[in-house]
Structures are given as C-alpha cells and as structure tokens.
Amino acid sequence: MAASPTPQPEQIADAVRDGMAANDRALHALGIAIVAISPGAATAAMSVREDMLNGHDICHGGLIATLADTAFAYACNAYDELTVASGFGVDFVAPARLGDRLEARCTEVSKTGRTGVYDVVVTNQRGERVAVFRGRSYTARGRPAVPR
C-alpha cells in the first residue's frame, strides 16, 4: 500500500484556516473573511457596518485592530503550530467610514524559535492606508493550531 502524500505548506495553511474559522466566533460576528492564507501570511477583509461606528461616525479603532489581529492570528498559525499573540501595537493613519471595505494584509517579518514578528497593513477599498500594526507571537511547539 502506498503512503499518503505529505501535505504541502499551502494545503496545511488552507486546513488551518478552515479549522480555525469553524470556531472563530469573533470572525463571524464581525463579518470578517479570510481571503488569502499561506505560511506566514494572511489577508482578512471586513466591511464597516453601522454598528461598528463610534461617536464620531468613524469605525471604532478597536474593530480595525481586531481585523488586523485576525490576519495576524491566521498568518502565524498557518504553519499548524499553536501560536498566540504576545503583544501588538497599532497606529491609525486615516479614518474608516460606513461602507468602507477594509483589508488587512499580514506578512511575516521574522520567525525564530518560538517567537515571531508580523506586520499588518490595513487599507480601504481605494488602497488608502487606514492603520499599520505590528504583532509579536509565541508558538507552543508540539501542539497543532487546529485540534484533530
């Protein structure tokens, strides 16, 4: 009997996305979609709804940070090792408004041992920067990102 082929990194990332998304209540509540994933990278998107606006009629910064944090989480878990945030910083550079389609693109800057650094750029549908985010990760080796 022939051995099963070893899954490719892209297949692993896709399986992690599907497994994480199945139980990601924040993702579903905010209408976030994971539109791309690969080892060390992910893109998440979200449309700004009425219930996401603050008292200044712009998207609440915490929700923009959540979108960026989501892309970060999927990017650093795409290797199928349980990885969590150890911290992040975010800078808002322009407001997001009702109806804007925000996209958060995360890329891995460094992954050494159990720690990683990831950058996320959040843009609107016109390609204008809304926020920049840097996340730091910690990997719990030997534990899969998605329980089997």
Side-chain angles (χ1 to χ4, degrees):
M1 177 188 264
S4 299
T6 303
Q8 296 301 306
E10 294 292 330
Q11 294 171 310
I12 293 168
D14 286 343
V16 168
R17 177 201 56 220
D18 295 346
M20 285 177 61
N23 199 38
D24 191 335
R25 293 169 294 285
L27 181 92
H28 299 290
L30 294 174
I32 297 173
I34 304 302
V35 297
I37 191 167
S38 61
T43 301
M46 170 182 88
S47 293
V48 178
R49 305 182 312 231
E50 182 79 29
D51 63 339
M52 296 175 169
L53 302 180
N54 65 20
H56 299 294
D57 269 346
I58 58 177
C59 187
H60 192 289
L63 297 173
I64 296 168
T66 300
L67 174 65
D69 186 40
T70 299
F72 165 52
Y74 281 77
C76 59
N77 277 280
Y79 296 102
D80 196 23
E81 289 185 295
L82 178 65
T83 304
V84 295
S86 63
F88 68 78
V90 63
D91 293 295
F92 303 105
V93 296
R97 303 194 183 282
L98 179 64
D100 279 353
R101 179 76 172 165
L102 303 180
E103 188 172 87
R105 291 179 183 258
C106 181
T107 56
E108 185 178 272
V109 175
S110 173
K111 183 171 173 27
T112 306
R114 292 183 180 211
T115 62
V117 176
Y118 294 77
D119 283 345
V120 183
V121 175
V122 180
T123 57
N124 63 20
Q125 69 277 9
R126 293 176 298 282
E128 300 163 337
R129 260 185 205 187
V130 172
V132 291
F133 170 111
R134 174 159 278 187
R136 296 172 307 281
S137 69
Y138 179 81
T139 299
R141 287 208 179 128
R143 294 180 58 194
V146 179
R148 290 176 194 20

